[in-house]
Amino acid sequence: MALDDSVLLRTEGRAGYITLNRPRALNALTHDMVRALHTALAAWERDDAIGVVVISGAGERGLCAGGDIRAIHDDARSQGRESVAFWRDEYRLNARIARYPKPYVAFMDGIVMGGGVGVSAHGSVRVVTERSRIAMPETAIGFVPDIGGTHLLARAPGELGTHLALTGNAVGAGDALLLGLADHCVSSGRLPELAVSLASGDVTAAVRDAAVPAPEGELAAHREWIDHCYAADSVEEILERLMACGERAAKETAETILTRSPTALKVTLAAMRRARSLDSLEAVLDQEFRVSCAGLSAPDLVEGIRAQVIDKDREPRWSPADLAQVSAADVAAHFAPLGNEELGLAD
């Protein structure tokens, strides 16, 4: 269990409630929090009195902004291994949530990013609101989408998932539904009422009665150029197509991509394409674990977190600095087997 009050647990009626409780850090996940979630889910899985699990975030800003990337930054700088241990437990948690035998209801209100997507979008009942902002923003910090993110995005319609994986852009409720990251939209003000209703155990009826039409998304109107441009075989060609297609939004997208880590972009595209051919979430998580471990010792992760979170100058100095300098061998090295250190979920 967590050594502090960073994860709050309670039961009422047929429901077990989890509240991520680090609101000042936007409920960013620590290793202790991941361990606490494992313990709670294991206990409630065996408890016949619990019929549904509900997860939400404390405070007004969102469910969870992801993993504690300051801790990852410090670990990577010191060439430590705590991040590897954290990811090992976090990815196992993602798989456990996806296979959980009882309804797992996630309130994806406000900001839901990175690891926050991992503890919500793999659940069986994913609820967004008019306040939802959902993203896998890893390329902006020199990293690659993980927590099963490439599994989720690779299965989105057309090339929408590739678009979000490379840009790291956030989407609202309507687009989350289109992408398959969420199932229902509920007004944020009705979430407390829905939480109470779920204690009765009739999850389907409770969610149906609370659901409302989602605010209109933005991506559907851009499907034509997104599907065409991102179908290219390389990041360089994707950028060429974005710049040449004549759409202002496509040009702006290219400009966004060019601010991201060149290595992370190429590895992300490869990870997305590989994820499409893998037959399970577990196999994708195994792949993501290899990629994440490789990224821990690369310079861009530390530099990206420095620029975005530590110094906040928003001027990362990527190494290498441009796409042409990232070779196919550099990309392939991120997928190399780890031997005895493999995550091994698909075994």
Side-chain angles (χ1 to χ4, degrees), residues 7-346:
V7 175
L8 304 179
L9 305 173
R10 69 181 180 88
T11 61
E12 181 179 332
R14 296 274 294 159
Y17 297 94
I18 299 170
T19 303
L20 305 180
N21 188 41
R22 296 182 69 213
R24 294 179 66 181
L26 227 168
N27 302 318
L29 296 171
T30 65
H31 202 164
D32 280 342
M33 292 169 73
V34 168
R35 293 189 187 105
L37 292 173
H38 269 294
T39 301
L41 290 177
W44 288 341
E45 182 175 341
R46 297 187 298 266
D47 188 345
D48 292 339
I50 299 299
V52 58
V53 173
V54 184
I55 187 167
S56 61
E60 298 298 319
R61 297 169 63 198
L63 172 66
C64 175
D68 189 339
I69 59 174
R70 284 180 177 268
I72 293 172
H73 171 272
D74 294 345
D75 185 51
R77 284 191 66 189
S78 64
Q79 299 182 322
R81 299 291 291 173
E82 170 55 31
S83 297
V84 173
F86 169 70
W87 289 325
R88 188 180 296 277
D89 286 341
E90 183 184 24
Y91 299 175
R92 289 184 180 279
L93 175 65
N94 303 145
R96 166 170 252 155
I97 291 168
R99 307 301 180 208
Y100 205 64
K102 300 178 180 181
Y104 180 99
V105 183
F107 288 176
M108 302 173 72
D109 186 37
I111 294 173
V112 186
M113 295 184 178
V117 175
V119 298
S120 58
H122 295 300
S124 53
V125 183
R126 292 118 9 125
V127 176
V128 286
T129 77
E130 78 285 354
R131 298 174 355 112
S132 294
R133 298 300 296 167
I134 301 169
M136 295 298 298
E138 285 77 10
T139 57
I141 59 167
F143 201 50
V144 176
D146 65 337
I147 56 78
T150 59
H151 174 83
L152 294 165
L153 294 178
R155 284 152 182 78
E159 295 291 340
L160 294 179
T162 310
H163 171 64
L164 290 193
L166 293 182
T167 62
N169 288 350
V171 298
D175 285 328
L177 293 167
L178 172 63
L179 288 158
L181 298 175
D183 305 299
H184 308 278
C185 184
V186 173
S187 298
S188 58
R190 290 199 65 186
L191 290 180
E193 176 185 341
L194 174 57
V196 171
S197 298
L198 289 166
S200 70
D202 192 341
V203 175
T204 301
V207 175
R208 182 193 62 227
D209 292 346
V212 296
E216 186 175 356
E218 301 175 3
L219 291 178
H222 300 296
R223 273 293 299 277
E224 184 175 354
W225 64 260
I226 286 175
D227 287 352
H228 168 70
C229 294
Y230 287 96
D233 292 332
S234 68
V235 177
E236 290 92 335
E237 187 179 350
I238 288 171
L239 287 166
E240 289 174 5
R241 291 187 183 189
L242 288 169
M243 295 298 287
C245 82
E247 294 283 347
R248 179 179 176 182
K251 181 176 183 295
E252 292 172 348
T253 295
E255 292 168 350
T256 295
I257 292 174
L258 285 167
T259 68
R260 306 319 194 202
S261 158
T263 300
L265 289 171
K266 287 199 170 183
V267 176
T268 294
L269 183 62
M272 288 287 294
R273 298 288 161 79
R274 289 171 178 239
R276 287 178 177 171
S277 65
L278 296 174
D279 61 4
S280 68
L281 169 63
E282 286 80 2
V284 176
L285 286 165
D286 285 346
Q287 172 176 279
E288 291 178 350
F289 186 72
R290 298 179 197 115
V291 171
S292 295
C293 289
L296 187 64
S297 59
D300 279 2
L301 178 58
V302 168
E303 174 60 13
I305 297 174
R306 179 208 64 77
Q308 295 294 332
V309 178
I310 308 298
D311 297 337
K312 299 182 181 179
D313 58 29
R314 307 293 193 268
E315 295 182 1
R317 296 179 288 276
W318 304 124
S319 179
D322 52 63
L323 290 163
Q325 295 175 295
V326 182
S327 70
D330 294 332
V331 174
H334 286 72
F335 299 89
L338 298 175
N340 293 334
E341 297 300 313
E342 289 278 5
L343 184 60
L345 284 173

